[in-house]
Amino acid sequence: MNGSLTGFEERRLAELKEHVAARAAAERVIRPRRRIVLAVAAGAAVAAGASVVTVSSLGGAAPAYAVTKDSDGIVYVTVRDTAPGDVPDVKGLTGQLKSLNVPATVDYVPAGQKCREPRGTVVTDIPRGLYHTPTTIPGDPDGWQMQIDTKLFKPGQTFVWSLDVDPVTGWNGTSTILMRDPVAPCELVPDDSPHYVSTMPWAKATSLGGYQAQGKTVGEVLSEIDKRGLKVTYLVTELAPDKPRYPDMSYVMYPTKQNTPVGKDWFVWQADEVEKGVIRVYVTQKLAAPRHH
C-alpha cells in the first residue's frame, strides 16, 4: 500500500485491470462505511475571499454538501460520515464543482459494480498540487477533506471522482483520476476485477469464544457457528492470480463470483463478526502456502 492516513487505507487504482497503465495517475482511499455527506471544509469558509456553495440534503436535516473556493483559486471539499444507506447527490456536486471552475464529473458506484472502461485517456503527467489525496479533518476523525487547485487544469482535462462502496469491506471509498476529454459517462456494469483481500488485524470471530476458524473446513466451522445460534455469510475468495504485492494479500475476491455455491470441504482462512450475531467467513477451495517473514 502507499502508506496510511489517519483512519484510512490507501490503495492504488492499479488493482483494476483497466487502469494498470495508469498506476501513477490514480488514487483510491477507503474508510469505514457510513453515509457520505459533503460539507464545508474546516476553516475554508473563513479564508480570504472565500465563496461558499451549499445544497440541502435529500432529507433536509443537514447540508448534503458544500464546496468553497478561496481567492487563490483553491477549491475545498469535505466528506463526512453519517448513517448508512443514502446515495450522495453526485450530479449536484458535479454541477457545483463546475460552477467553481473545476472541470469535474462525480459518480457513485455501488458495491459489486464498476464504471465500464475505457472512459477516456488517462493523464499521467499530473501537475504537482493539482489535487491532494483526502486527509483527515483536524479534530474530526469521522471526516476528510480534499483540495483542488483550479489554476493547474489544462484545457480539455476532466477530474474524474468516484464515490464507491468497497465490495470486500463495505466501506465508503473515493477514487480520483485525471482524464483527457472526452470522458464517457459512468455506465455501471458488474465488477469482474480481482480485489485483493487483506488479513486484517481486527478480523476476529469474537462471538466464537476463542474458537480458531483459520485453516479448518467450512463444515467444521459451520458446526461451531450453529452451536452458538449465529448466522453466517461468506466471502468467496481465490488464490491471488499473481505473486501477491504484499505479504498479507494472498487471496482475491471477484464480486461476480459471490453467489458461487460453497462446499463443506472448502477451507476457512479468516472470520469476522460483520454485525452482532452474524459471522462472515472467508472461504477458499485451496489455502495459500504459509509465508515466512
Side-chain angles (χ1 to χ4, degrees), residues 1-67:
M1 294 186 182
N2 297 330
S4 62
L5 301 169
T6 304
F8 296 90
E9 185 179 30
E10 292 189 325
R11 290 184 180 174
R12 303 293 282 179
L13 277 180
E15 293 178 5
L16 303 180
K17 293 183 295 184
E18 297 84 1
H19 292 305
V20 170
R23 289 173 183 167
E27 291 284 354
R28 184 162 188 267
V29 179
I30 61 174
R31 60 174 294 110
R33 185 183 186 188
R34 292 177 189 150
R35 170 184 150 218
I36 295 175
V37 173
L38 301 170
V40 176
V46 297
S51 58
V52 181
V53 181
T54 62
V55 178
S56 297
S57 66
L58 297 177
Y65 58 80
V67 292

Side-chain angles (χ1 to χ4, degrees), residues 4-230:
S4 62
L5 301 169
T6 304
F8 296 90
E9 185 179 30
E10 292 189 325
R11 290 184 180 174
R12 303 293 282 179
L13 277 180
E15 293 178 5
L16 303 180
K17 293 183 295 184
E18 297 84 1
H19 292 305
V20 170
R23 289 173 183 167
E27 291 284 354
R28 184 162 188 267
V29 179
I30 61 174
R31 60 174 294 110
R33 185 183 186 188
R34 292 177 189 150
R35 170 184 150 218
I36 295 175
V37 173
L38 301 170
V40 176
V46 297
S51 58
V52 181
V53 181
T54 62
V55 178
S56 297
S57 66
L58 297 177
Y65 58 80
V67 292
T68 67
K69 183 178 181 181
D70 66 19
S71 58
D72 291 327
I74 306 297
V75 169
Y76 300 84
V77 184
T78 296
V79 177
R80 299 184 186 277
D81 290 335
T82 56
D86 288 356
V87 177
D89 181 14
V90 293
K91 183 177 180 180
L93 178 58
T94 296
Q96 295 299 339
L97 288 172
K98 288 182 177 179
S99 74
L100 295 180
N101 297 320
V102 178
T105 180
V106 187
D107 303 300
Y108 174 69
V109 183
Q113 294 185 290
K114 65 179 181 180
C115 298
R116 184 186 295 279
E117 298 292 344
R119 295 182 63 185
T121 302
V122 174
V123 176
T124 56
D125 56 339
I126 300 175
R128 182 180 296 275
L130 176 64
Y131 58 88
H132 294 283
T133 302
T135 57
T136 300
I137 301 171
D140 183 1
D142 289 331
W144 48 266
Q145 62 189 11
M146 179 170 64
Q147 66 184 58
I148 307 167
D149 190 341
T150 59
K151 303 186 303 296
L152 298 179
F153 285 103
K154 296 179 181 178
Q157 292 183 342
T158 295
F159 177 67
V160 181
W161 185 9
S162 296
L163 304 175
D164 53 63
V165 180
D166 187 270
V168 177
T169 64
W171 296 355
N172 287 330
T174 175
S175 300
T176 55
I177 192 166
L178 188 65
M179 292 186 178
R180 295 189 180 90
D181 296 338
V183 176
C186 177
E187 178 187 350
L188 293 176
V189 296
D191 183 2
D192 58 356
S193 56
H195 292 258
Y196 287 80
V197 187
S198 173
T199 304
M200 297 172 285
W202 60 85
K204 298 178 181 179
T206 53
S207 293
L208 295 183
Y211 177 79
Q212 296 297 314
Q214 291 81 358
K216 293 183 171 62
T217 65
V218 169
E220 291 174 314
V221 175
L222 283 181
S223 177
E224 198 68 27
I225 290 175
D226 288 342
K227 289 178 184 178
R228 290 163 171 74
L230 303 172

